[in-house]
Amino acid sequence: MNHKMMTGFTRICGSRRLCLLLFLTSALLMIAWMQPKYILEKPIAPIEMDQPTWPLQVADPAVIARQSLYTRSMFTPEARSQNKYLATTAVVTRLLIDPRGIYNVVKHLLKYPFIKEIIVLDPFLEPPQVSQAADMEDQRLSYDMFKDLNFNGTMSNVNDDVTFHIIHDSTRNRFEVCDTDASYDTCYFQDDLGLNLYMDSLYTNYLAYPHLVHTNARIVSYIYQLKWRFHGDGIHTGYADLRYGAFVPKSAFSRLIEEHRQQQLGDNHTDAWFTIKMNRYPWLLANPLLTLGREPHTAIDPINNRIAIEKSMYEALRELKEEDLAMGDAEPPASERDVRASCGNDKCLFTTSMSSFYDDPAQINHNFMAENITSIHHWESLYEELDVPSQATWMVNAYHRAVDQDENTCWRTYHNPNIGDYFGLNLVGTMRAKRLLIRLGQPIADPEDLFTVSVARERNHWVSCRISTIKKYQTPQRLAIQIDDCPGTRVWSAIRITFTRDLQEPLEICGLAIDHMVL
């Protein structure tokens, strides 16, 4: 700024120091105005929050067109008395001042017939006071905001209706609401930052093991959540970020409600405290927030309020050490959980025995002992001596890239595949297919006898298939397999491709296709 301009500016402001102060204040107000609006219930310290993704999602035609493969007829009381399906209460926590976030989440959830009840937890309590500015809006949610949504499945069958509630309360958390207000024994948790594009697949995996927490883990936070699994002297637990979608049985946490209430912890600590105190490894699916495997806002620390989260986890772990932990780990063991990610179209789940990480912390030969492990960061540092992928390597080669409907991205096995290793799919529903295409990232020698194929109708009841090569579709980087016969199995819900020999380098899987379903 030249002297003449500065002189004029000083004349207006009175002094250079005052001018500088006014300038900085204006800049800070402008930055704050430009940021997304979030609820800051107790703004004593800065509250970090992911950028909302719902505006990008609702602008995507593929998201708008997405529908559930489950049908409403499966979830009537009569049908549920004879089938395995579980009706669910969705508890959606409002974080954004902009009500369009919560509105679009509720609208999206109504597509999924297993969601039979929706409870919105809205921490805005009071309307503007008379003494406040006249143009200040009442920011509480009202039922009128949702009146254009159809909560009636079919007008002729009240059993298809979805019950809808809004709870205005800043003192309760999602677990308390589920425990006291939910009509069903399964709750689905999420916030209003974005839509969960993998509702069907996440629910399908939950149905197989409904005693566990199943959560939709962001790609950018997946490795952190895996590192935050703890083992030792009865402890077998881990952290899960529930903000982007999680199915949780009431039975996993009801016993903890009163203890948490007495702790008087802030909302920042709730998910960390409960997921650790449940003393069960959560089942994490590594999924991107957007279609085609895209993950926005990767430059932001995905562990919001990291210091507070780590402190809460450590305190919960210390409490666990003082409790009676005779109960064993829930089945299946973490080392046997081969479902890794949802398919991009939400019609299947990607499975593999070839983990990029240590699924069970017992495999790193370190026990969590509060007297020896002084912090969560200290525990994380134990992985520095191990052969695990870096965050940058993981982001490029994550599991979902094999099934994200983009052949230009690939899942790369972190280690060389060995005989008996496998990858495959668990379907939402069943199918009968005759053709399997596997898109590779690099040519491979003698591909004709590299794999065997097996299918299953029921979990762990595998049937070996007779296969052959479809020569007209085979290329150096595309394996074309004809499924000729799978004895005794007309339709199946899972397929497994198993290596018949050791490979000398990692393999890249860039896409799969089963008949006309391209992944």
Side-chain angles (χ1 to χ4, degrees):
M1 184 178 292
N2 62 38
H3 178 74
K4 184 177 181 180
M5 292 177 63
M6 191 68 228
T7 302
F9 193 45
T10 303
R11 194 180 302 125
I12 295 173
C13 299
S15 72
R16 293 189 180 187
R17 181 173 297 177
L18 177 60
C19 289
L20 181 60
L21 180 62
L22 290 172
F23 174 78
L24 291 174
T25 302
S26 300
L28 289 172
L29 288 173
M30 179 62 71
I31 292 171
W33 177 80
M34 293 173 66
Q35 294 298 312
K37 299 183 177 68
Y38 304 113
I39 293 171
L40 299 180
E41 181 187 346
K42 298 176 181 178
I44 297 173
I47 303 290
E48 300 170 352
M49 189 69 63
D50 286 348
Q51 295 289 318
T53 54
W54 69 263
L56 298 173
Q57 293 169 321
V58 299
D60 185 344
V63 172
I64 301 303
R66 187 157 291 191
Q67 297 292 333
S68 177
L69 292 181
Y70 292 95
T71 64
R72 294 192 178 278
S73 62
M74 298 174 177
F75 296 91
T76 63
E78 298 80 10
R80 284 189 287 110
S81 67
Q82 302 180 36
N83 63 31
K84 64 179 182 179
Y85 301 122
L86 300 174
T88 301
T89 296
V91 180
V92 186
T93 304
R94 185 187 180 196
L95 298 179
L96 304 173
I97 291 178
D98 188 342
R100 292 176 298 172
I102 205 83
Y103 171 88
N104 280 288
V105 168
V106 171
K107 183 179 180 180
H108 184 70
L109 291 177
L110 287 172
K111 296 180 178 182
Y112 299 92
F114 43 84
I115 301 295
K116 299 294 290 180
E117 179 178 49
I118 300 175
I119 302 175
V120 172
L121 179 57
D122 180 10
F124 280 118
L125 297 178
E126 303 295 336
Q129 301 298 313
V130 175
S131 60
Q132 292 175 324
D135 60 348
M136 183 176 179
E137 298 180 2
D138 184 350
Q139 293 174 336
R140 296 176 303 172
L141 296 174
S142 70
Y143 287 95
D144 284 346
M145 296 177 182
F146 304 89
K147 62 183 179 182
D148 64 318
L149 299 181
N150 179 26
F151 293 94
N152 302 315
T154 57
M155 300 303 293
S156 60
N157 188 349
V158 295
N159 289 329
D160 282 353
D161 293 355
V162 177
T163 309
F164 182 63
H165 310 281
I166 300 175
I167 295 178
H168 297 283
D169 194 332
S170 64
T171 65
R172 302 172 69 192
N173 59 65
R174 58 176 118 240
F175 295 93
E176 292 176 344
V177 170
C178 173
D179 188 58
T180 59
D181 295 86
S183 302
Y184 302 101
D185 292 332
T186 294
C187 281
Y188 168 79
F189 295 149
Q190 78 161 95
D191 294 343
D192 60 348
L193 295 174
L195 314 182
N196 180 1
L197 306 186
Y198 312 100
M199 289 291 295
D200 269 5
S201 51
L202 186 63
Y203 177 75
T204 298
N205 205 48
Y206 175 76
L207 284 180
Y209 305 98
H211 56 289
L212 297 172
V213 173
H214 295 250
T215 188
N216 197 29
R218 285 191 66 187
I219 298 298
V220 293
S221 65
Y222 180 73
I223 284 185
Y224 293 112
Q225 293 185 60
L226 283 182
K227 287 182 178 179
W228 291 347
R229 288 182 171 181
F230 307 93
H231 167 82
D233 293 342
I235 290 179
H236 32 64
T237 192
Y239 169 76
D241 184 350
L242 309 180
R243 296 176 300 163
Y244 291 96
F247 287 94
V248 183
K250 277 187 186 181
S251 59
F253 64 83
S254 290
R255 61 185 172 83
L256 300 171
I257 294 295
E258 184 57 34
E259 181 183 353
H260 180 267
R261 190 176 290 121
Q262 294 174 3
Q263 294 267 0
Q264 297 183 334
L265 299 173
D267 286 345
N268 255 352
H269 304 254
T270 300
D271 287 356
W273 189 88
F274 270 98
T275 54
I276 293 296
K277 292 284 283 189
M278 287 184 212
N279 202 27
R280 289 288 183 270
Y281 297 126
W283 200 311
L284 309 176
L285 296 185
N287 291 327
L289 295 180
L290 305 178
T291 57
L292 299 178
R294 295 170 295 155
E295 181 74 359
H297 314 309
T298 56
I300 300 173
D301 185 353
I303 305 299
N304 301 157
N305 311 295
R306 181 183 291 268
I307 295 176
I309 293 293
E310 291 183 357
K311 180 180 179 182
S312 181
M313 280 194 292
Y314 190 78
E315 291 304 315
L317 285 163
R318 292 182 62 181
E319 292 171 15
L320 274 181
K321 294 293 293 183
E322 304 301 321
E323 299 175 6
D324 181 9
L325 301 176
M327 203 164 18
D329 187 20
E331 295 292 327
S335 58
E336 297 178 12
R337 299 179 190 179
D338 62 355
V339 179
R340 308 293 182 174
S342 298
C343 297
N345 62 3
D346 195 31
K347 295 180 180 180
C348 55
L349 296 133
F350 180 69
T351 66
T352 181
S353 62
M354 295 173 284
S355 176
S356 299
F357 209 76
Y358 291 89
D359 297 311
D360 187 337
Q363 296 170 320
I364 68 172
N365 298 319
H366 289 287
N367 288 353
F368 181 88
M369 304 289 289
E371 56 270 26
N372 296 328
I373 304 298
T374 57
S375 67
I376 299 301
H377 180 71
H378 183 186
W379 176 263
E380 281 185 350
S381 68
L382 301 179
Y383 286 90
E384 294 176 1
E385 62 194 56
L386 305 175
D387 183 16
V388 295
S390 66
Q391 180 77 351
T393 298
W394 161 252
M395 289 295 294
V396 175
N397 301 306
Y399 300 120
H400 77 281
R401 298 196 181 279
V403 288
D404 62 0
Q405 300 179 302
D406 182 357
E407 288 191 349
N408 295 313
T409 63
C410 306
W411 163 61
R412 179 180 173 88
T413 64
Y414 190 65
H415 302 287
N416 302 346
N418 293 320
I419 184 171
D421 285 337
Y422 63 85
F423 62 93
L425 304 170
N426 288 356
L427 303 180
V428 177
T430 60
M431 71 183 303
R432 184 182 185 183
K434 290 294 184 181
R435 186 179 67 190
L436 170 65
L437 301 180
I438 305 173
R439 178 74 164 83
L440 303 176
Q442 72 270 37
I444 194 166
D446 302 321
E448 287 78 9
D449 62 350
L450 178 61
F451 300 117
T452 61
V453 173
S454 53
V455 298
R457 175 68 186 268
E458 301 295 335
R459 186 168 73 240
N460 296 327
H461 288 74
W462 294 99
V463 175
S464 297
C465 300
R466 185 166 53 85
I467 61 174
S468 57
T469 300
I470 309 175
K471 294 188 180 300
K472 67 177 180 179
Y473 295 132
Q474 184 108 331
T475 70
Q477 290 183 236
R478 183 175 64 198
L479 305 185
I481 298 173
Q482 178 75 27
I483 304 175
D484 298 311
D485 181 42
C486 304
T489 305
R490 298 192 53 171
V491 297
W492 40 268
S493 60
I495 186 170
R496 180 176 287 181
I497 300 101
T498 304
F499 289 86
T500 60
R501 64 176 187 265
D502 296 345
L503 296 188
Q504 302 306 309
E505 61 181 357
L507 186 67
E508 291 184 347
I509 307 295
C510 307
L512 300 171
I514 301 179
D515 280 0
H516 299 293
M517 185 169 74
V518 179
L519 303 171

